[in-house]
Amino acid sequence: MNRNDIRIGLFGFGVVGQGLHTVLERTPGLRARIGRIGVKDRTKARNLPAELFTFDRDEVLDDPTLNVIVELIDDADEAYRIVTGALRRGKAVVTANKKMLAEHLQELIELQRETNTPLLYEAAACASLPVIRNLEEYYDTDLLEAVEGIINGSTNYILTAMHRDALTFAAALRKAQELGFAESNPALDVEGLDARNKLVLLLAHAFGLVARPEDILAVGITGISDLASSYAREKGLVLKLVAEARRLPNGGVAAAVLPTLVRPEHELARVQDEYNGLITQSNFADRQFFLGKGAGAVPTASAVLSDLSALTYGYRYEYKKLHQESTLALTPTDAEADVLVTFGAEHAPDRADFSAIHEYFHSQELGYYLTGTIGLDQLAQAAWLRLPGISIVRLPTPLRAVTTAPASETGPVVRAAWATDEAVSPL
Amino acid sequence: MNRNDIRIGLFGFGVVGQGLHTVLERTPGLRARIGRIGVKDRTKARNLPAELFTFDRDEVLDDPTLNVIVELIDDADEAYRIVTGALRRGKAVVTANKKMLAEHLQELIELQRETNTPLLYEAAACASLPVIRNLEEYYDTDLLEAVEGIINGSTNYILTAMHRDALTFAAALRKAQELGFAESNPALDVEGLDARNKLVLLLAHAFGLVARPEDILAVGITGISDLASSYAREKGLVLKLVAEARRLPNGGVAAAVLPTLVRPEHELARVQDEYNGLITQSNFADRQFFLGKGAGAVPTASAVLSDLSALTYGYRYEYKKLHQESTLALTPTDAEADVLVTFGAEHAPDRADFSAIHEYFHSQELGYYLTGTIGLDQLAQAAWLRLPGISIVRLPTPLRAVTTAPASETGPVVRAAWATDEAVSPL
């Protein structure tokens, strides 16, 4: 299908959809226009002629005058039906729906091959920052060791507002929603699930590893305690929600989304507001850092636009690394992290889950904390992590292969003979 | 010509050439190998079989078994002969020679069209950082307002070593040369000419503007005075060599390479050692920042490798913006900058060149300085700038269109009735 002239069937006319309409009007160079818009809500007033809109999905998908489908709706299940329906009809698709993509990635890769039809989704990770295409194209000859980043603009906006402007979590979240940075279901953001979905996409393009979201540990920022905040302040560390995927020496990959204390000189410490930042570590190019707006209608729409432009010259993801290294897999049992766990008098973490305890602290006023080393798998399965009053943040050391030697970066190791009953009693 | 299997005719076997050989050996995924190496020095011992090497350019260019020429020599004139000779023979070319590219860019763009043969040069700007391809592909639908960056790793290494490690200029330069970061002719680096050559490439891919290097003002770092360093320290500013190109409201573009004082919170202030950093400012994607190694054999070779990989799937630069906006031109007469000029008792800057003088200072021990606003064209033509003892650095304000209102960012304006004879006498 010739895509020199793009006639778009657009699904969804929320902030990003309207943003796309705006940027298309300001981009005369790209010969693309919106031919039809599929929407759900029959009552909403819209600022475009009524005949552009339809409530019937198939009316858009079956329209032979439309050659590209742009899917910008919230509902991941409906998005899946739209995207697969479009690909099966040989219509190229651009989508920003990371939840839908992460949940069906393997199938969508196969469907692109079967139908010989491209599906692009630069806007699904880091909005305007060209991370997917760079991982796919530019690093295809370089061996990536790690990708690590702040890839959810909403939580970063919230954490920045809490830290810099001393807002409460609730007030910061409300502000993020007002500015259009938050998902309509904020739980996706604040529980780290949106970042996890994006990490699934990064894993595919960075390492050729197609993971299921549920196989990746994700801890959000809702449970961050005052004690954890005090700890960060005292040590001069900055709290960020960090997604990380790292090759392990044994050939596996460790991946997690965790609230993380980062050192002030670390690139990610300076990622503010709704910005996203991604660090790549590779054999030849070494360490690289990309910073840009990770949320917002216009930056997200600009990534959609860039995908539309790429379609005009026949671009598609080749998923090259999927074929290069078919043996890479997530190996959480081989990976560990250093963490700070804060808790109250009622519930304590299970000491047996930790391979080392480094510090233990109790204050009558603030409660308890411990720092220690724990396997990624142990952490994922720890029932205590879901008990009220317990929360964790990662300390500023990378994910790493399980070692017997304790980490040196978190201070002297206090291999205290610390029993669970001691933990819940004041020191 | 089918480039699924790449057989390379390599010119030059210095640090980058040897780096390329190294990374090719470690990249089994890419089906590329070096078939022949053209070198100049007949006496040098080499660590590869002698039959690989030849001293005859045409023996490589005319070899029908080689389908890609990789040009990594120092001599820009010979590089030009190699690159044009290869293109005319229909052999794709990858080069890192920014001097040759900048001096012949218009012709090389035309030659690519005429011969229908690609010339790629990602390694020529910011080494491993994928700036050319991102400017070319990703932002082709977005209106770039400015690119601004540290694009010479050698001078950044020198400035970092002088600032952080308190090395002298000479010692820092020697160290940069030992580490292979400096051009073999260090004047290209320290006089800002290498950065200017790279800026020519960025201008072409960011704005579709093919400029001649000599049309862009470049001031290097050799003349930086102790007084300028003291000024920077006192104000908490960091000295960097910054290349900048910025659209002006009247439709022109201002471009210059200038030693620049940047605020500590600015992204470029944190670009250390041989790293390069580039900021793009665009209408939709807004502000983005890219950080990565800008010098060194392996990072540069990795960019060459990425270009080789791109050739295997038929990639070539389209120079899309060249056709989109043919009217963009450099307009130095419309642009101005805020600068700090330091000088001694012998020579002073010509007050008449400045549209405003903001501050004037004299110390018996350190000499004189003034801060003021000056047109880019006045600065380029100022004969006093080349007098001994006079040096300039840009203050931390962007290049901008000439205004009648003075800049407010550089403190209160002292529109002193300051005559040249006053300038050379102690206050």
Side-chain angles (χ1 to χ4, degrees):
Chain A
M1 185 178 287
N2 176 16
R3 296 187 194 94
N4 289 334
D5 278 298
I6 288 184
R7 201 147 181 271
I8 298 166
L10 172 65
F11 284 93
F13 202 60
V15 281
V16 180
Q18 292 176 48
L20 178 66
H21 183 261
T22 304
V23 300
L24 275 174
E25 295 221 314
R26 287 157 61 191
T27 312
L30 183 69
R31 294 197 299 184
R33 61 195 190 89
I34 296 172
R36 207 75 202 276
I37 305 174
V39 289
K40 193 175 60 179
D41 189 340
R42 288 168 188 266
T43 59
K44 210 182 269 181
R46 310 190 196 268
N47 55 3
L48 290 179
E51 60 271 25
L52 262 180
F53 294 92
T54 174
F55 309 101
D56 179 355
R57 183 205 313 146
D58 289 340
E59 212 176 290
V60 179
L61 292 181
D62 290 331
D63 185 336
T65 70
L66 306 173
N67 55 0
V68 174
I69 298 298
V70 176
E71 180 284 303
L72 299 172
I73 68 173
D74 261 335
D75 178 344
D77 296 330
E78 175 64 8
Y80 171 76
R81 286 187 288 270
I82 291 168
V83 168
T84 52
L87 289 175
R88 290 213 177 85
R89 285 165 174 89
K91 282 182 159 63
V93 180
V94 176
T95 176
N97 201 312
K98 45 257 173 176
K99 183 166 188 287
M100 180 273 296
L101 290 163
E103 284 169 356
H104 302 282
L105 190 56
Q106 185 65 52
E107 182 192 341
L108 290 170
I109 292 171
E110 283 160 17
L111 192 57
Q112 288 176 74
R113 272 197 215 117
E114 273 170 37
T115 60
N116 193 27
T117 305
L119 168 66
L120 300 182
Y121 43 82
E122 189 61 72
C126 302
S128 63
L129 211 51
V131 297
I132 301 275
R133 230 182 295 170
N134 275 299
L135 288 173
E136 175 75 15
E137 295 305 317
Y138 195 76
Y139 302 95
D140 68 330
T141 51
D142 198 349
L143 205 62
L144 277 160
E145 287 299 318
V147 292
E148 177 192 8
I150 292 169
I151 58 177
N152 177 273
S154 169
T155 47
N156 201 56
Y157 184 88
I158 291 168
L159 290 172
T160 304
M162 290 171 71
H163 181 81
R164 188 187 56 199
D165 312 330
L167 293 192
T168 63
F169 176 81
L173 170 60
R174 207 160 43 236
K175 215 169 151 191
Q177 286 175 309
E178 282 165 15
L179 291 166
F181 300 150
E183 295 291 307
S184 60
N185 173 7
L188 283 175
D189 291 315
V190 297
E191 287 170 13
L193 305 176
D194 177 75
R196 182 167 76 174
N197 288 332
K198 291 167 178 167
L199 187 54
V200 167
L201 303 180
L202 297 183
L203 278 165
H205 293 279
F207 299 117
L209 192 169
V210 180
R212 295 181 309 169
E214 57 270 29
D215 293 337
I216 300 173
L217 173 64
V219 176
I221 62 165
T222 48
I224 305 297
S225 64
D226 290 344
L227 182 51
S229 299
S230 305
Y231 180 97
R233 240 188 329 270
E234 269 184 29
K235 309 269 180 190
L237 301 169
V238 186
L239 182 66
K240 295 291 185 188
L241 184 64
V242 175
E244 181 173 339
R246 188 172 293 275
R247 246 173 226 274
L248 301 173
N250 65 2
V253 171
V257 175
L258 292 167
T260 300
L261 296 172
V262 296
R263 296 204 173 83
E265 67 273 17
H266 193 279
E267 291 94 337
L268 295 183
R270 301 167 201 130
V271 179
Q272 303 271 31
D273 298 316
E274 78 271 27
Y275 275 77
N276 279 192
L278 191 77
I279 296 163
T280 57
Q281 177 70 46
S282 62
N283 264 358
F284 305 142
D286 211 325
R287 191 175 177 87
Q288 305 202 332
F289 175 55
F290 301 85
L291 177 73
K293 283 199 172 165
V298 172
T300 307
S302 85
V304 171
L305 202 66
S306 182
D307 279 349
L308 288 172
S309 168
L311 288 176
T312 62
Y313 55 85
Y315 182 75
R316 59 181 59 200
Y317 302 139
E318 302 279 349
Y319 301 94
K320 298 188 190 96
K321 291 164 201 169
L322 231 67
H323 312 293
Q324 281 175 21
E325 308 188 61
S326 52
T327 54
L328 270 187
L330 290 180
T331 52
T333 52
D334 295 341
E336 63 183 19
D338 298 314
V339 296
L340 168 82
V341 190
T342 61
F343 49 102
E346 292 75 27
H347 303 288
D350 184 353
R351 169 182 185 279
D353 284 341
F354 291 80
S355 59
I357 306 283
H358 306 309
E359 292 176 345
Y360 180 74
F361 169 90
H362 175 241
S363 140
Q364 287 289 4
E365 190 192 340
L366 293 165
Y368 299 79
Y369 81 66
L370 69 84
T371 63
T373 302
I374 188 166
L376 226 48
D377 202 38
Q378 277 78 29
L379 195 56
Q381 292 178 23
W384 50 262
L385 192 53
R386 278 160 282 277
L387 293 175
I390 301 193
S391 76
I392 68 146
V393 300
R394 188 156 66 102
L395 292 167
T397 45
L399 299 178
R400 61 175 182 272
V402 170
T403 53
T404 43
S408 60
E409 294 214 46
T410 50
V413 175
V414 188
R415 278 193 184 274
W418 173 62
T420 307
D421 57 331
E422 283 177 60
V424 294
S425 62
L427 285 183
Chain B
M1 184 178 288
N2 176 15
R3 296 186 194 94
N4 289 335
D5 277 299
I6 288 183
R7 201 148 179 269
I8 298 166
L10 172 64
F11 284 94
F13 202 60
V15 282
V16 179
Q18 292 175 49
L20 178 65
H21 183 261
T22 305
V23 299
L24 275 174
E25 294 220 315
R26 287 156 61 192
T27 312
L30 183 68
R31 295 198 297 182
R33 61 193 190 90
I34 296 173
R36 208 74 203 276
I37 306 174
V39 289
K40 192 176 60 179
D41 189 341
R42 287 168 189 266
T43 59
K44 210 183 269 180
R46 309 189 197 268
N47 57 2
L48 289 180
E51 61 270 24
L52 262 181
F53 294 92
T54 174
F55 308 102
D56 179 355
R57 185 205 310 147
D58 288 341
E59 212 176 289
V60 180
L61 292 181
D62 289 331
D63 185 336
T65 71
L66 306 173
N67 55 359
V68 174
I69 297 299
V70 176
E71 181 284 302
L72 299 172
I73 67 173
D74 260 336
D75 178 343
D77 295 331
E78 175 64 10
Y80 170 76
R81 285 187 289 269
I82 290 168
V83 167
T84 52
L87 289 175
R88 290 213 177 86
R89 286 163 173 88
K91 282 182 160 61
V93 181
V94 177
T95 176
N97 201 312
K98 45 257 171 173
K99 184 165 186 286
M100 180 273 297
L101 289 164
E103 284 169 355
H104 302 281
L105 189 56
Q106 185 66 53
E107 182 192 342
L108 291 170
I109 292 170
E110 282 159 19
L111 192 57
Q112 288 175 72
R113 271 197 217 118
E114 273 170 36
T115 60
N116 195 26
T117 304
L119 167 66
L120 301 183
Y121 43 80
E122 188 60 72
C126 302
S128 63
L129 210 52
V131 297
I132 300 275
R133 229 182 294 170
N134 274 301
L135 288 173
E136 176 73 16
E137 294 307 315
Y138 195 77
Y139 302 95
D140 69 330
T141 50
D142 198 349
L143 205 61
L144 276 159
E145 288 298 318
V147 293
E148 177 193 5
I150 292 169
I151 59 177
N152 177 273
S154 170
T155 46
N156 201 57
Y157 183 87
I158 291 168
L159 291 172
T160 305
M162 291 172 70
H163 180 81
R164 189 186 56 198
D165 313 330
L167 293 192
T168 63
F169 176 81
L173 171 60
R174 209 160 41 237
K175 215 170 151 189
Q177 286 176 311
E178 282 164 16
L179 291 167
F181 299 151
E183 296 291 308
S184 58
N185 173 6
L188 282 175
D189 291 316
V190 297
E191 287 171 12
L193 305 177
D194 178 75
R196 182 168 75 174
N197 288 333
K198 291 166 178 168
L199 187 54
V200 168
L201 303 180
L202 297 183
L203 278 165
H205 293 279
F207 298 117
L209 191 168
V210 181
R212 295 182 308 169
E214 59 269 29
D215 292 339
I216 300 173
L217 172 65
V219 176
I221 62 165
T222 49
I224 304 296
S225 64
D226 290 345
L227 182 52
S229 299
S230 305
Y231 181 96
R233 241 188 330 272
E234 268 183 29
K235 309 267 180 191
L237 300 170
V238 186
L239 182 66
K240 295 290 184 188
L241 184 64
V242 175
E244 181 173 340
R246 188 172 293 277
R247 244 174 228 273
L248 301 173
N250 64 1
V253 172
V257 175
L258 292 167
T260 300
L261 297 172
V262 297
R263 298 205 172 83
E265 68 273 17
H266 193 279
E267 292 93 337
L268 296 183
R270 300 168 202 129
V271 179
Q272 303 271 29
D273 298 316
E274 78 272 26
Y275 276 77
N276 280 191
L278 190 77
I279 296 163
T280 57
Q281 176 71 47
S282 62
N283 264 358
F284 305 142
D286 212 324
R287 191 175 177 88
Q288 304 203 334
F289 175 56
F290 301 86
L291 178 73
K293 283 201 172 164
V298 172
T300 307
S302 86
V304 172
L305 201 67
S306 181
D307 278 349
L308 289 172
S309 167
L311 288 176
T312 63
Y313 55 85
Y315 182 75
R316 60 181 58 200
Y317 303 138
E318 303 278 347
Y319 301 93
K320 298 189 189 94
K321 291 164 201 167
L322 232 68
H323 312 293
Q324 280 174 22
E325 306 189 62
S326 51
T327 54
L328 269 187
L330 290 180
T331 51
T333 51
D334 294 342
E336 63 183 19
D338 298 315
V339 295
L340 168 81
V341 189
T342 62
F343 48 102
E346 293 74 28
H347 303 289
D350 184 353
R351 170 182 185 277
D353 283 343
F354 291 79
S355 59
I357 306 284
H358 306 309
E359 292 176 346
Y360 180 74
F361 170 89
H362 174 241
S363 138
Q364 288 288 5
E365 190 194 341
L366 293 164
Y368 299 80
Y369 81 66
L370 68 83
T371 62
T373 302
I374 188 166
L376 227 48
D377 202 37
Q378 275 78 30
L379 196 55
Q381 292 178 22
W384 50 262
L385 192 53
R386 277 160 283 276
L387 293 175
I390 301 192
S391 76
I392 69 146
V393 300
R394 188 155 67 103
L395 292 168
T397 45
L399 299 178
R400 61 174 183 273
V402 170
T403 53
T404 43
S408 60
E409 294 215 46
T410 50
V413 175
V414 188
R415 279 193 182 272
W418 173 63
T420 307
D421 57 330
E422 283 177 62
V424 292
S425 63
L427 283 183

